Amino acid sequence: MKNAIKVGAVLVAAAMLFAGCGDPMMPLTEDEESVVVNYSAGILAKHNSFQQEGMTAVYPDEEEPEEQEEAEETKEAEETKETEETKETKETKETKETKETKEDDKGEGTGKAPKEEEQPSKESEEGPKQLTLTDALSISKVEFSYHDYSTTASYRQGDYFSLDASEGNIFLILNVNMTNTGNKAVECDLMKKQPSFILNLNEEPGIQNQVTILTNDLSTYKGTLDPGQTEAVILLFEVPQKTADNISTMKLSLESNGETNEIILK
């Protein structure tokens, strides 16, 4: 605005100078000079194409081409980034949904993958092998055969061994014959095999044999059999009295070297 006033004053002064050498310029008061200056500024503003309102001249800022280009590139970069982020979010969501769907299909609606069905072992399907006592003990040229059983409240051997059953129990003795079927002497060391015999009577829980120092205890027998020789040996079990009085079924099992076999008594 100050520039406009100055320009107006210059124009007024110029007009007075070019008016000729006639009468001298009429002196003006400060108020009159202000009116003339304002009038001149108004005329100037009227013919100024950039003048928009009143005495204020605001010229439009023209953006430089480089600034416009940078602004457009920035906008395009932001739009591209938003598009890529939207696409990535969508792909991540679709991948997660696909994975969850597959897991549901595998888990049959449980959200967990189904476990493989445990295949029963061959031994559990078929049960323990049924073997003869000879095959189970497996001593070359030696045959084992079950003879019979007997019961007693106490078992004695000579004057050096005596064993009494506890109250309410009784001893059940399995009598077994051991024969050398070869033509040479055979050393028989069953103590080395450490066999464990389990007796089941009337489908009741099994009872393990008594391990003794008897010379004729089958589970601890150690000796030599001459060709054709037969030795009588025993297996000793302490069982409930009431069970031994009424035996309906009898089963014998042998545990040796980590295997369990059911013995065919014959």
Side-chain angles (χ1 to χ4, degrees):
M1 181 176 177
K2 291 181 179 181
N3 292 332
I5 294 173
K6 291 179 179 180
V7 172
V10 171
L11 290 176
V12 172
M16 291 180 178
L17 290 173
F18 287 101
C21 299
D23 297 331
M25 185 175 58
M26 182 181 296
L28 299 175
T29 65
E30 185 175 352
D31 293 337
E32 290 174 345
E33 288 182 1
S34 178
V35 171
V36 172
V37 170
N38 289 335
Y39 177 79
S40 300
I43 295 301
L44 182 63
K46 182 178 180 181
H47 297 282
N48 184 4
S49 60
F50 294 101
Q51 182 67 33
Q52 295 181 357
E53 182 179 357
M55 299 296 292
T56 303
V58 180
Y59 296 89
D61 294 330
E62 295 182 0
E63 292 183 359
E64 295 296 331
E66 292 181 358
E67 294 179 356
Q68 292 181 354
E69 185 177 352
E70 290 178 359
E72 291 177 357
E73 289 178 355
T74 302
K75 185 176 181 180
E76 290 177 358
E78 291 177 353
E79 292 177 352
T80 302
K81 183 178 180 181
E82 291 177 357
T83 303
E84 290 177 353
E85 290 178 352
T86 303
K87 183 178 179 181
E88 182 178 357
T89 302
K90 184 177 180 181
E91 290 177 352
T92 302
K93 184 177 180 181
E94 290 177 352
T95 302
K96 183 177 181 181
E97 291 176 352
T98 303
K99 184 177 179 181
E100 290 177 352
T101 302
K102 289 182 179 180
E103 290 178 351
D104 289 342
D105 292 340
K106 290 181 180 180
E108 298 179 353
T110 62
K112 297 181 180 179
K115 295 182 179 180
E116 294 183 2
E117 294 183 2
E118 296 182 0
Q119 298 295 332
S121 63
K122 185 175 180 181
E123 183 176 350
S124 63
E125 287 182 347
E126 299 177 355
K129 294 181 181 179
Q130 291 187 340
L131 300 176
T132 63
L133 194 55
T134 300
D135 293 334
L137 292 174
S138 185
I139 296 179
S140 180
K141 303 300 181 179
V142 177
E143 181 179 271
F144 300 88
S145 58
Y146 166 71
H147 186 261
D148 58 14
Y149 77 89
S150 60
T151 60
T152 181
S154 63
Y155 184 83
R156 288 177 173 78
Q157 188 177 79
D159 297 331
Y160 60 88
F161 184 85
S162 177
L163 186 63
D164 297 326
S166 58
E167 184 177 357
N169 291 341
I170 196 171
F171 288 119
L172 187 147
I173 303 168
L174 295 184
N175 298 301
V176 178
N177 289 331
M178 183 172 57
T179 304
N180 180 355
T181 59
N183 53 12
K184 294 182 180 181
V186 176
E187 184 176 351
C188 186
D189 188 358
L190 288 172
M191 183 180 292
K192 185 177 181 180
K193 290 180 176 290
Q194 297 182 346
S196 177
F197 294 91
I198 306 297
L199 182 66
N200 294 84
L201 298 176
N202 303 338
E203 304 299 333
E204 294 180 4
I207 299 172
Q208 187 175 351
N209 67 296
Q210 296 280 330
V211 179
T212 70
I213 60 173
L214 295 171
T215 57
N216 63 339
D217 188 335
L218 176 62
S219 64
T220 58
Y221 184 86
K222 183 177 181 180
T224 301
L225 295 176
D226 294 329
Q229 179 183 354
T230 297
E231 187 79 20
V233 291
I234 64 170
L235 288 172
L236 193 64
F237 300 89
E238 185 174 356
V239 301
Q241 175 74 57
K242 59 180 181 180
T243 301
D245 290 343
N246 186 20
I247 298 176
S248 58
T249 61
M250 180 185 295
K251 293 181 181 180
L252 181 66
S253 300
L254 169 62
E255 295 179 358
S256 180
N257 298 325
E259 296 183 357
T260 300
N261 297 308
E262 186 175 328
I263 305 302
I264 302 172
L265 296 175
K266 67 176 184 177

